[in-house]
Amino acid sequence: MSDEKKKQQKGKINIELDEKVAEGTYSNLAIINHSVSEFVVDFVSIMPGTPKSKVKSRIILTPQHAKRLLKALADNVNRFEKAHGEIKDYEQPNIPLNFGPTGQA
């Protein structure tokens, strides 16, 4: 293998995506809590007429990765809006949350 190909492969990360994870999980609510060492993002799917909802997925990030995620999301939303127009932010009624410490959605 040439030195050039070795250099190209050295900077790449091989990421696998299994079928179950590739299906994804629908979420229409994210609850974010943090401590000095981590951010915890709980993804919830709330359906109308359902009195109870469960956390579908939890992601735990370091503060540095949370900031990178914030920047990546902002960049992607900006690109999406340039291509498809502004994303409307409709007013949502307050959803009472009765688990865990207080956070921001």
Side-chain angles (χ1 to χ4, degrees), residues 69-89:
L69 176 62
L70 173 68
K71 183 181 181 311
L73 279 172
D75 289 346
N76 277 273
V77 167
N78 287 331
R79 282 188 292 202
F80 179 93
E81 289 183 328
K82 283 180 185 173
H84 304 286
E86 182 182 354
I87 299 170
K88 302 282 190 252
D89 189 14

Side-chain angles (χ1 to χ4, degrees), residues 6-78:
K6 285 180 185 176
K7 285 180 187 177
Q8 287 176 353
Q9 287 184 348
K10 189 175 186 179
K12 292 183 181 180
I13 298 173
N14 185 7
I15 297 174
E16 292 184 15
L17 179 63
D18 68 39
E19 290 180 33
K20 180 78 173 153
V21 174
E23 289 176 11
T25 301
Y26 178 76
S27 172
N28 54 8
L29 175 68
I31 300 166
I32 303 168
N33 289 291
H34 65 275
S35 68
V36 295
S37 60
E38 62 194 15
F39 278 73
V40 178
V41 186
D42 287 330
F43 293 96
V44 182
S45 177
I46 296 179
M47 294 298 149
T50 306
K52 189 175 181 180
S53 297
K54 288 185 178 182
V55 172
K56 298 292 185 177
S57 181
R58 172 175 276 186
I59 305 297
I60 302 169
L61 305 158
T62 65
Q64 294 79 10
H65 282 107
K67 192 166 186 176
R68 287 186 196 124
L69 176 62
L70 173 68
K71 183 181 181 311
L73 279 172
D75 289 346
N76 277 273
V77 167
N78 287 331

